[in-house]
Amino acid sequence: MKNHLFSALRVRPFLFLWLAELLSQIASNMTNFILLLVVFSLTNSNTAVSGIMIAFLLPAILFGIFAGVFVDHQDKKHVLTGTNIARALILLLLAFSQNSLFFVYLLTFAVATATQFFIPAETPMIPLLVDKKLLLSANALFGIAFYGSLLVAYALSGPLLIFFGQSNVFLALCIMFLIASIFSSLIKRSSDVKVQSRLPKNITVGGEIKIALHTIFASRKISHSFLLLSLSQILVLVIAVIGPGFATHILQIPVSSFPLLFVMPAAIGMGVGAFILTNYFHSISKDKIINIGLFTTAIAIFLLPFGGQIISRPFVNTFNTQMPEILQLTKLNFMAILAFFSGLANAFMFVPANTLIQEETNDEMRGKIYGALNSLISLLSLLPIVIVGSLADVFGVATVLLVLGICVGIIGIIRLVTTRE
């Protein structure tokens, strides 16, 4: 059987883009996690850690859509290379300047600002490098790299910080960004045909932003995909915020075990979902795939607090008595199964939604649309950071998960009704 994922990777320019994305995403996520640890060790203050989170998010809120406008007027390959070099140089400064909290905040803000120009140049470049028939596969690979990099960063940030020390770990991350810049510089497009611009001459930045927003909300396919990508990433953030409480109060495991027992199965599920999508669901409507993803996500999240009750049911005891010990269903591996299906469902939302945006837009609009998406996600990210943690403290993690599952289910029902032909 032909593997569509490998077919996309055989396109050498896309392979270089994917390797650049993988390395830079791992380096970027590790930078974020390590800076949180560095600031806490410097100040021993949760408030100071909140400050570093604001320094991560503020550039996206302030500059995201403006960066998208800028990128749409540039060669995206050069933007990718330049932003990776810029982040490497900033981390070089961080390697020798960690004693001043203000300076750490300032350099964090600078790294996050450079990242705003990387994001709208990265995913919008995919349709320029692969045929339309490989778009779904290419976006599946990007999804694997995107969520896989979170897992790698989450799992390795602490050990690398201990192994290298505070200064040398930033030098190691600096090298990763430089290698990513080499990969992005190797990208060669098979054809650089200059398409006549559809935008009015002498249009202002504000005018371009207005046209981009109109493009997003005038098309059901684009607007739904836009909101689904936001939901996909917000759900990841919510789980990250309440993860420690979920591990402690529901799974009753050490917080340090959460990545292995929950995050890793979710990342594996994302990979399996991407494989299924590209090799078996190629001919199925993207709307149907997204609806399957939404309802699977809702069910998985809703069931998360009920692991103990489900495992205690007589039919589970009967099942366990018939199976060898290694295959018996326990509360922990039931949670791992739900995490796996959450990751698989996320792939069913993330991959088709990205593909739809790329199919429905042209090259001079994609950067602005992804810039706007990044701004919206960062703005909405303040919600889980500020509110969800507090709600979990007041009402409990289980209640927050139940409400979240119901909300995703309602979104799925609304979308099912509105997309019915």
Side-chain angles (χ1 to χ4, degrees), residues 62-289:
L62 294 176
F63 309 129
I65 193 163
F66 297 101
V69 173
F70 172 82
V71 166
D72 276 339
H73 290 278
Q74 310 299 319
D75 185 321
K76 292 180 175 63
K77 164 186 167 178
H78 295 154
V79 174
L80 292 175
T81 305
T83 50
N84 278 325
I85 292 171
R87 289 186 287 183
L89 293 174
I90 296 166
L91 289 185
L92 195 61
L93 291 174
L94 261 173
F96 302 103
S97 313
Q98 297 161 38
N99 295 324
S100 166
L101 183 61
F102 173 78
F103 202 60
V104 171
Y105 281 162
L106 185 65
L107 292 178
T108 300
F109 185 88
V111 170
T113 300
T115 301
Q116 303 323 302
F117 292 87
F118 179 85
I119 291 169
E122 180 189 33
T123 311
M125 202 172 179
I126 296 174
L128 305 178
L129 303 178
V130 299
D131 292 336
K132 191 173 182 179
K133 65 183 180 181
L134 288 175
L135 265 184
L136 196 69
S137 304
N139 280 296
L141 286 162
F142 256 58
I144 292 170
F146 182 84
Y147 289 104
S149 67
L150 282 172
L151 174 65
V152 171
Y154 198 98
L156 295 184
S157 295
L160 282 181
L161 184 59
I162 294 168
F163 181 78
F164 285 109
Q166 282 191 192
S167 294
N168 289 336
V169 75
F170 287 114
L171 291 176
L173 293 171
C174 170
I175 292 169
M176 288 181 70
F177 276 123
L178 289 175
I179 296 171
S181 72
I182 292 170
F183 281 127
S184 57
S185 71
L186 293 173
I187 297 169
K188 289 182 181 178
R189 289 168 57 179
S190 56
S191 61
D192 278 316
V193 179
K194 193 71 176 176
V195 178
Q196 184 68 32
S197 175
R198 299 178 188 177
L199 297 175
K201 289 183 179 179
N202 303 320
I203 189 171
T204 63
V205 171
E208 289 200 50
I209 292 172
K210 192 179 293 185
I211 290 174
L213 294 175
H214 178 266
T215 302
I216 291 167
F217 295 107
S219 164
R220 180 190 64 80
K221 285 185 177 181
I222 297 175
S223 60
H224 280 208
S225 298
F226 188 89
L227 295 173
L228 280 163
L229 287 173
S230 302
L231 175 66
S232 169
Q233 294 187 46
I234 296 302
L235 286 174
V236 172
L237 280 169
V238 169
I239 296 298
V241 169
I242 64 176
F246 179 67
T248 304
H249 301 301
I250 295 179
L251 296 182
Q252 296 177 334
I253 59 171
V255 174
S256 58
S257 300
F258 185 69
L260 179 65
L261 296 174
F262 190 89
V263 180
M264 184 177 286
I268 293 170
M270 178 76 195
V272 172
F275 178 82
I276 292 171
L277 267 178
T278 55
N279 289 291
Y280 299 103
F281 286 6
H282 236 275
S283 57
I284 298 178
S285 158
K286 294 182 184 67
D287 279 332
K288 287 182 181 177
I289 294 170

Side-chain angles (χ1 to χ4, degrees), residues 29 32-33 53 56-57 146-147 150 154 229-244 258 346 374 376-386 388-389 404:
N29 287 318
N32 294 349
F33 283 126
M53 292 297 294
F56 291 150
L57 293 174
F146 182 84
Y147 289 104
L150 282 172
Y154 198 98
L229 287 173
S230 302
L231 175 66
S232 169
Q233 294 187 46
I234 296 302
L235 286 174
V236 172
L237 280 169
V238 169
I239 296 298
V241 169
I242 64 176
F258 185 69
N346 206 309
N374 190 39
L376 178 66
I377 290 170
S378 298
L379 189 61
L380 294 177
S381 297
L382 294 174
L383 219 60
I385 291 169
V386 174
V388 171
L404 188 62

